[in-house]
Amino acid sequence: MDVICRRKGDRTIKKWYRVQKLKAIFVLALAIVFTNAVVSYSNTVKLIHNQEWVTSSYEVITQVERIQSTLKDTETAQRNYLITVDADDLKTYLAAYQQTNRNIQILRKLTANNHQKQQWISLLEPKITSRLDILQQEIYLRQNQGFEAVKKRILSDKDNQSSKEIQQLIHDSLEVEQNLLHQGMQQSQANSQKAVVTFFIAAIVDLVLVALLYDLLWHYIRQLQQTELALRQSENRLRAMIDAEPECIKLIAKDGTLLEINAEGLAMMEVESADVLIGKPIDAVIVPEYRAAFANLHKSICQGNKGTLEFEIVGFKGTRRYMESHAVPLRNESDGTFIHLALMRDITQQKHAEQKIREQGLLLDVSSDAILVRNIHNQILFWNQGAERLYGWKTGEVVGKNVLQLLYKDISPQLEDAYLKVMNTGEWRGELHQLTKEGKVIIVESRWILIRDDNGQTKSILSVNTEITQQKQLEAQLLRSQRLESIGTLAGGIVHDLNNILSPILMSVQLLQKKLPDSQSQQILQTLENNVKRGANLLKQVLSFARGIEGKRTIVQIQPLMAEMEQIIAQTFPKSIICQVDIPKNLWYVRGDTTQIHQVLINLVVNARDAMPNGGRLRIAAENLVIGEHSAQINIDAKVGSYVAIVVTDTGMGMSSEVQERIFEPFFTTKEVGKGTGLGLSTALGIIKNHGGFVNVYSQVGRGTQFTLYLPASTFRDTHLMSQELESVTGNS
């Protein structure tokens, strides 16, 4: 490893030196070329400047000579005109005169940038102007005064002096300009020689530099060729690795066209050659409803972000596939923008599996049974909608929680046996008592199935629970009815014997009424007779009830019955029991058997007395009550309608929940042997149900018990008939 690292380090150092060497040579070549260019430019500028200067000097000399020649022609034409007075000579004079002025102006323009020559022109121009004025005056004298006057003017010294001064200025100027022209030509020749020498030196240096650069470029080109070969080999290896990738790899341009794709991608697109796809829009194979989402993903990737998307494609042969794309931006080194590199995986089978799982989940949710799955640590993994409806907890509230702590008060032996059996045999069936979210105890029929993984290891337990609480209640009621039927068969024979016992007692009471006429004896005997008759009626009622024969139903007023109960309690109950009776004046009527309702009330107040051996408070009340649909749904025996509710409340010892569940069972009693038969409440329940009513019980240990009897109120027609009967009885009396 160290050797490899050292080799990599040496290659890196050599590459760095090579790059630095190329940089140095390139900088040197640029410096030399720049220097040669500067020198050549400087020489060229000098040559051009000298040439311009020589040309300007030559033009000045030429123009001065033209001024001199033109001035001479002007004087000659003027002299000829003075002698000959020929008009042609005058024309020649005038033309020469005008040309002289033009030549002076041209000379001034040529020397506009030369201050010294401008000063010289400023001296020459007035003299030439003065000379031309003299010539014009002489022509005027010739035309007006004759030749003699002109001759005299010409021979004057002033005229000759002006001409000499002009000639002297022109001569001096020409001599100076010629000297300057000669110097300029010499300088230009020297600059030309220098430029030639410099050019040859630069050419030699450039040739050497070109040779050196050619050698370097040749070596560099060879290195580039070797690098290109290595890159091609690396590209081929990379292409082979990409084509061997079992997932689709795509390179997408910023405009959405495909740049590269591997062999697996071609197979997914159902084409044989990449030429069919390269350069084409990538979204052509995407199902239309996913194109907008893919366009947003592509835009985000080209902005330098990462992203994931699931979409569906259609191959060139029509095969539909679900794809999962994991996309990353890839920087384009040429312009710094990003292109789209996508790794796509075919998730069609996964999607189908998820769809199947969803369908199975819907089927499980449609089921009315509670279906739940827990792991071997009793943590809930699955909870269907049936379980939500049965127990009240939503799925999010229970997943991950312990099912034993959630649905059970404690771990019963039955629950332990169920767990052991399902672990040993793989399944279990049975009944369990469970809790709902509101704390209500329900009974379920439960089926457990053990689920194992592919290696046969225990994975989880599937439970299917069906609520059978109402079914169990109905079974209990059926069992109670069967017991009552059995008791009725037994009571049939007992009633006959009791009737035989009561008959002599009734006859004896009637004889005593005749022998004991005093009022006190008559009152006692009358009470005894009433009770013997009521006992006989009670035996008759028990016999009729045991045989299933209903007694005679009439319109019953509850107020007299409650008043009679108050009288019996006051006469027979211990003084330690305080009785309170609340009888409303507008209490509805009920249709039923007075003796049976009286029997029910007697059973309830006697039980209340026995529950308060040390005294207490006994309250009997009644009220009108209308039961709606909601209340009817709460109680299985209730129906919508009007009821008269009779409430018997004591402050006795109360009952536990276990005792409350069995109080209506025949022969079930908590009293001592010989003090109770266990038939009172079962008979009372049968009577109330026979009247179409129902009973509610509320009790707490140590705080007393409350029985509420619900008897259907009589209809308006029944009440009207009873009123007519009462009126007829009153009228007869």
Side-chain angles (χ1 to χ4, degrees), residues 344-405:
M344 298 184 183
R345 184 166 58 92
D346 188 350
I347 59 171
T348 305
Q349 294 183 354
Q350 176 183 337
K351 281 291 184 181
H352 291 165
E354 291 176 355
Q355 180 65 24
K356 188 175 181 180
I357 291 173
R358 282 195 295 270
E359 292 174 355
Q360 293 174 349
L362 290 175
L363 291 175
L364 293 177
D365 286 336
V366 168
S367 174
S368 60
D369 293 333
I371 301 175
L372 56 102
V373 179
R374 54 176 168 163
N375 60 19
I376 58 176
H377 302 294
N378 292 316
Q379 292 175 327
I380 298 175
L381 305 177
F382 177 78
W383 185 271
N384 76 332
Q385 292 183 3
E388 292 182 356
R389 291 189 294 268
L390 177 60
Y391 298 111
W393 285 288
K394 297 297 182 181
T395 302
E397 296 176 316
V398 299
V399 171
K401 292 187 177 180
N402 191 301
V403 68
L404 300 180
Q405 298 176 356

Side-chain angles (χ1 to χ4, degrees), residues 514-544:
K514 294 179 179 181
K515 292 182 178 182
L516 300 173
D518 59 286
S519 59
Q520 185 177 3
S521 298
Q522 287 292 323
Q523 185 179 0
I524 295 173
L525 291 174
Q526 184 63 44
T527 302
L528 182 60
E529 181 183 5
N530 291 337
N531 282 290
V532 170
K533 289 181 178 180
R534 191 176 297 280
N537 290 331
L538 180 60
L539 291 174
K540 182 179 179 182
Q541 176 63 36
V542 171
L543 182 60
S544 299

Side-chain angles (χ1 to χ4, degrees), residues 50-75:
N50 288 335
Q51 187 65 33
E52 290 177 352
W53 187 81
V54 169
T55 301
S56 176
S57 181
Y58 181 76
E59 289 178 352
V60 170
I61 291 173
T62 301
Q63 197 62 32
V64 171
E65 289 177 348
R66 285 179 181 175
I67 292 172
Q68 186 179 19
S69 175
T70 303
L71 183 60
K72 186 176 180 181
D73 292 341
T74 303
E75 291 178 350

Side-chain angles (χ1 to χ4, degrees), residues 227-264:
T227 303
E228 183 180 359
L229 178 61
L231 287 175
R232 192 180 299 113
Q233 293 175 350
S234 177
E235 182 180 357
N236 292 334
R237 289 193 295 267
L238 182 60
R239 168 59 64 179
M241 293 172 63
I242 293 176
D243 288 340
E245 174 65 34
E247 297 179 353
C248 173
I249 298 177
K250 290 182 180 180
L251 198 60
I252 306 170
K254 189 174 182 180
D255 59 358
T257 57
L258 184 65
L259 299 176
E260 292 288 343
I261 187 171
N262 67 338
E264 184 63 23

Side-chain angles (χ1 to χ4, degrees), residues 532-567:
V532 170
K533 289 181 178 180
R534 191 176 297 280
N537 290 331
L538 180 60
L539 291 174
K540 182 179 179 182
Q541 176 63 36
V542 171
L543 182 60
S544 299
F545 177 71
R547 293 176 178 176
I549 301 174
E550 293 188 2
K552 184 179 179 181
R553 298 292 177 92
T554 61
I555 301 300
V556 179
Q557 288 182 297
I558 302 300
Q559 292 94 331
L561 290 177
M562 296 179 66
E564 187 175 351
M565 289 298 106
E566 184 178 11
Q567 183 180 3

